Amino acid sequence: MQSQPAFPNIPSCRWSRRIGSGWAQPYTVRYPSNLDDGPFHGMPLGGFGAGCIGRSHRGDFNLWHVDGGEHIFRSMPACQFSVFEATQGSPQAFALCTQPPSEGTLSQWQWYPAVDDADTQDGTQLGQVKALLSPHTGLYEALYPRSWFTYQNVFLANLSCEQFSPILPHDYQATSYPIAVFEWTAQNSTDEPITLSILLTWQNMAGWFTNASKSPEVQVRDDGSPVYDYQPRWEASTGNWNQLIRAGQQVGIVMQGQPHDAAKPAEGDGQWAIATTLPPQAEMFYQTRWNPEGDGDDLWQTFAQDGSLPNQDDATPAAEGAQIAGAIAVRFTLQPGEAIQFPFVLSWDFPVMEFAEGVHYFKRYTDFFGRSGQNAWAIAQTALEHYKTWQTQIQQWQQPILDRTDLPDWFKMALFNELYHLTDGGTLWSAASDRDPVGQFAVLECLDYRWYESLDVRLYGSFALLKLFPELEKSVLRAFARAIPASDDRTRIIGYYYTIGADSPQALRKVAGATPHDLGAPNEHVWAQTNYTSYQDCNQWKDLPCDFVLQVYRDFLYTGAKDIAFLQDCWGAIAQTLHYLKGFDYDYDGIPENGGAPDQTFDDWKLSGISAYCGGLWIAALEAALEIGRILAEQTSDIRLLTTISNDIGNFQVWLGQARSVYHDTLWNGQYYRLDSNSGSDVVMADQLCGQFYARLLKLPDVVAIEFARTAAHTVYDACFVKFNEYLAAGRLPTQEFTTVQAARIAEETGEAAIAPPSEPTPRNNSPIGAVNGVKPDGTPENPNSTHPLEVWTGINFGLAALLVQVGMREEAMTLTQAVVQQVYDNGLQFRTPEAITPFGTFRASHYLRATAIWAIYGVWVGEL
């Protein structure tokens, strides 16, 4: 025992919420078909590509991303921490979750009390005062990859639990581990002894996380997106069994799945483990088999009485239809002034990820622990031995940023917490191979649009990966380089036409030379079968080839500008895709034209002719390709290759000269760059200077003269942010939630009417909601029924803020960023940041990749980009 307090030093810049408290008006989903699990989301736990779990600020484990790319959100009451406490008075015991099971199981357990939701959800001034003054039972705080529960006003002892996984920048080993660490700290600040027992219970879920439908039918959802049905083997526990294991002071329960061939495990085969290192002068109790579907009395009776368990080691397999769980408790007594600190760990070993039936990959962590699916205990022991080192390494990584006085706390909080998506986003990370020495990596665009590494989204959304795990970042672009020459002659309908009630043309899935939109989906063959999305014909998109070229050069430049092999791996694809895109330059003026259908990242927004967005990216991409070509030309002695590169450079120079001669003159109107050359629209597009942002980022010649860039940036900020939010504050209705066609189709297919928009917009906390994608110069909508132009996209806002920093508008950049961060973290969107929010208090596309663009703001702000 320690005589001095051992409480963790929790950084001030963290997201914080009272344990169990709700929201008066959390954001809700915009379209009924989109995912809305509600606001009780906490920081995910688990390594990249290993699968992850989530624990909300209610204390329940409710997010299960154990099968890569698949989503389950469901509270598991038997997966829980509980605490027993006794002094000279009466003992008390609580399961540390404020939400009892709704189905009536574990009814004998006492559940942790929460703050009065009637106070926290009362939005009036009086209600806010009452909430501040009302007793509360503790705080949940999060700064990814660490989070904390601090329990207050219930126990006499001071209790906290720090949760984390070893997410360590530039560490391509520990970051892959399927581990969650829970470091408990208890302190006695009273004048009498306190006996405490901390209990971890866990249900044996081995074998559950694989799709029982190996060839699910792909359908078109009401929003035009392709979807398929995921059917996990939920509660398929027949034959599962639990085993107690000891090694010195390390004690654990390994939860085995059904017997499998260790030489050839299938997806879902494997183990869970819970474990602890027994601290000095503490007792350990266990029960390897109890019924998580009963009333819980078989476990709770002895625990609530004195903090013990029956010490039964029962390895009997679960009967058909039955469920089993295990439990470990650590009991100790603290004298006045004493403190104790010790870990519990949770580990899992499910080594195989299966996409389409028969398409298998091993996960990255198996490079270090083997591929048998029988190594959960070895993984848990590794955590028990190294968790303090990992904890220190996380602190050392974060501290220089936390110490910066030029960044506000709310920004530091969001900067780290938005990294959650690298764990939570259906993340895949394969085992290493000769071709891919750190494996292959991929993150979903989001859970509604369930395909990997959407290239237009990661144009802003990949800065965090570049900064922290550059080898993974380059592995993604190598996958795109391999995919560009490939073709896929299958045809499919285009979902966009379905949503507007029009007949869809049949489109080829992937044309050779076209840059694919994505690297595939979990039900096919990720990395090999690309262009999964079918909302638009991505072969027609005018930004994707440019996005690829710019990201390649960016990754080369910001990883030391020495990885010539990376450029060589990508050059053939760069040349091929730029030639492919030039084929859309129908008037031969040097700039490919947008075709009038949505054909870029704003895929509900029609652009026609030369566009500010795509044209600027084209000019920047040509400049980047020229730099890459020159570097490679200097490095080769192969005459044939040098001739090819020289010919490509010559073409790019001609195209660039033509493009520069028409871009500014065609689109500049004195205050900003017009949306496009053919539509006649006077909309101010928020992301019109994306190409200019990248050109300056990559130290290339400006796309437009800096004075024009600054003027346009001021116009964007004024129209899309300041005036648009003034328009909202005036109580005017900017848009409708559904088109007539969408509403009719939803009613027909679901039997339910579409959600009716409120009579007036409801900006949250009377504060700005961010910059809208496109409005007229006075901040009003061009078309009140439009979708993408009248949404606030979190990642685009962060990209715009990075641009504002570039052009010297630092104060405006932070004002804009704060507005978006406040909407996300004050309104129940934490750890499920959406693509879009609306003035109606609705959102679309949660768990979205592009929001990690906040790392672009940081990079430009501190001079690292």
Side-chain angles (χ1 to χ4, degrees), residues 411-432:
F411 182 86
K412 299 171 190 174
M413 178 277 296
L415 184 72
F416 285 111
N417 280 334
E418 286 303 321
L419 295 174
Y420 84 95
H421 192 75
L422 296 178
T423 294
D424 163 283
T427 312
L428 307 177
W429 190 0
S430 71

Side-chain angles (χ1 to χ4, degrees), residues 218 414 547 626 659 676 709 811 823 849 854:
V218 178
D547 296 345
L626 286 170
D676 58 36
E811 181 178 349
Q823 295 304 313
L849 170 61
I854 194 171

Side-chain angles (χ1 to χ4, degrees), residues 47-48 165-177 364-365 368-369 382 386 389-391 393-394 397 429 438 441 465 467-472:
F48 291 2
S165 297
I167 307 301
L168 305 170
H170 306 283
D171 186 329
Y172 297 92
Q173 179 169 334
T175 302
S176 74
Y177 289 171
R364 168 63 171 173
Y365 78 86
F368 315 108
F369 289 104
T382 299
H386 296 285
T389 299
W390 297 335
Q391 192 179 50
Q393 289 173 323
I394 293 170
W397 155 42
W429 190 0
V438 296
F441 185 82
L465 199 64
K467 167 70 174 175
L468 304 175
F469 298 94
E471 294 307 312
L472 295 183

Side-chain angles (χ1 to χ4, degrees), residues 20 38 75 92 108 136 174 211 244 322 344 370 411 421 444 574 581 600 612 665 703 753 776 781 794 824 851:
S75 183
Q92 61 176 346
Q108 294 299 307
H136 61 92
N211 199 344
L244 183 73
F344 279 96
F411 182 86
H421 192 75
L444 291 174
I574 287 172
L581 182 55
Q600 27 64 45
D665 291 344
V703 170
K776 295 192 290 187
T794 54
V824 170

Side-chain angles (χ1 to χ4, degrees), residues 820-852:
V820 177
V821 168
Q822 182 175 341
Q823 295 304 313
V824 170
Y825 287 92
D826 288 357
N827 295 288
L829 294 175
Q830 74 291 334
F831 302 110
R832 56 172 187 151
T833 308
E835 161 78 314
I837 58 177
T838 78
F840 297 97
T842 61
F843 70 87
R844 179 175 59 80
S846 60
H847 302 256
Y848 205 78
L849 170 61
R850 188 152 29 201
T852 52

Side-chain angles (χ1 to χ4, degrees), residues 48-51 66-70 209-211 214 265-269 350-366 426-432 439-442 452 522 524-527:
F48 291 2
V66 181
D67 184 357
E70 310 296 353
F209 299 100
T210 183
N211 199 344
K214 296 302 182 183
E267 184 180 70
D269 289 343
F350 301 101
V352 175
M353 46 188 176
E354 180 181 40
F355 304 141
E357 186 172 10
V359 180
H360 300 100
Y361 284 77
F362 287 102
K363 298 176 181 177
R364 168 63 171 173
Y365 78 86
T366 64
T427 312
L428 307 177
W429 190 0
S430 71
Q440 292 184 277
F441 185 82
Y452 282 97
E524 292 192 342
H525 189 171
V526 184
W527 301 302

Side-chain angles (χ1 to χ4, degrees), residues 303-574:
F303 182 74
Q305 179 178 338
D306 61 10
S308 70
L309 299 175
N311 286 348
Q312 295 175 348
D313 185 5
D314 183 351
T316 303
E320 184 175 355
Q323 299 296 319
I324 60 173
I328 297 176
V330 175
R331 187 173 70 183
F332 50 90
T333 298
L334 295 177
Q335 299 300 320
E338 281 191 329
I340 191 173
Q341 197 170 66
F342 66 95
F344 279 96
V345 300
L346 170 71
S347 65
W348 54 97
D349 181 17
F350 301 101
V352 175
M353 46 188 176
E354 180 181 40
F355 304 141
E357 186 172 10
V359 180
H360 300 100
Y361 284 77
F362 287 102
K363 298 176 181 177
R364 168 63 171 173
Y365 78 86
T366 64
D367 287 338
F368 315 108
F369 289 104
R371 300 177 174 180
S372 66
Q374 298 178 352
N375 296 296
W377 172 244
I379 297 168
Q381 284 187 296
T382 299
L384 292 173
E385 293 164 3
H386 296 285
Y387 79 94
K388 292 300 289 186
T389 299
W390 297 335
Q391 192 179 50
T392 299
Q393 289 173 323
I394 293 170
Q395 293 169 344
Q396 290 173 343
W397 155 42
Q398 293 186 332
Q399 202 60 48
I401 296 176
L402 301 183
D403 287 342
R404 293 190 71 99
T405 58
D406 59 337
L407 293 172
D409 279 358
W410 60 262
F411 182 86
K412 299 171 190 174
M413 178 277 296
L415 184 72
F416 285 111
N417 280 334
E418 286 303 321
L419 295 174
Y420 84 95
H421 192 75
L422 296 178
T423 294
D424 163 283
T427 312
L428 307 177
W429 190 0
S430 71
S433 66
D434 291 340
R435 187 179 72 159
D436 298 291
V438 296
Q440 292 184 277
F441 185 82
V443 177
L444 291 174
E445 177 176 334
C446 69
L447 294 175
D448 282 308
Y449 313 142
R450 206 143 38 106
W451 37 85
Y452 282 97
E453 293 294 346
S454 299
L455 192 63
D456 56 317
V457 175
R458 73 185 324 276
L459 183 68
Y460 282 139
S462 58
F463 282 94
L465 199 64
L466 170 63
K467 167 70 174 175
L468 304 175
F469 298 94
E471 294 307 312
L472 295 183
E473 165 61 23
K474 287 190 284 189
S475 78
V476 173
L477 292 182
R478 283 191 174 96
F480 275 101
R482 295 165 187 163
I484 285 171
S487 63
D488 187 335
D489 293 337
R490 289 177 292 171
T491 60
R492 65 253 184 103
I493 65 169
I494 299 303
Y496 168 76
Y497 296 97
Y498 176 82
T499 66
I500 63 175
D503 292 335
S504 170
Q506 292 288 319
L508 290 175
R509 173 149 173 178
K510 170 67 173 68
V511 176
T515 298
H517 170 271
D518 55 76
L519 293 177
N523 65 316
E524 292 192 342
H525 189 171
V526 184
W527 301 302
Q529 292 177 290
T530 62
N531 257 2
Y532 186 83
T533 182
S534 58
Y535 182 67
Q536 297 287 1
D537 179 1
C538 294
N539 297 299
Q540 302 291 316
W541 279 27
K542 309 310 185 297
D543 54 350
L544 294 174
C546 303
D547 296 345
F548 171 69
V549 176
L550 291 169
Q551 289 176 64
V552 168
Y553 188 53
R554 180 200 63 183
D555 291 1
F556 170 76
L557 197 64
Y558 286 101
T559 57
K562 296 180 180 178
D563 192 351
I564 304 300
F566 173 64
L567 295 185
Q568 291 170 335
D569 289 342
C570 298
W571 175 253
I574 287 172

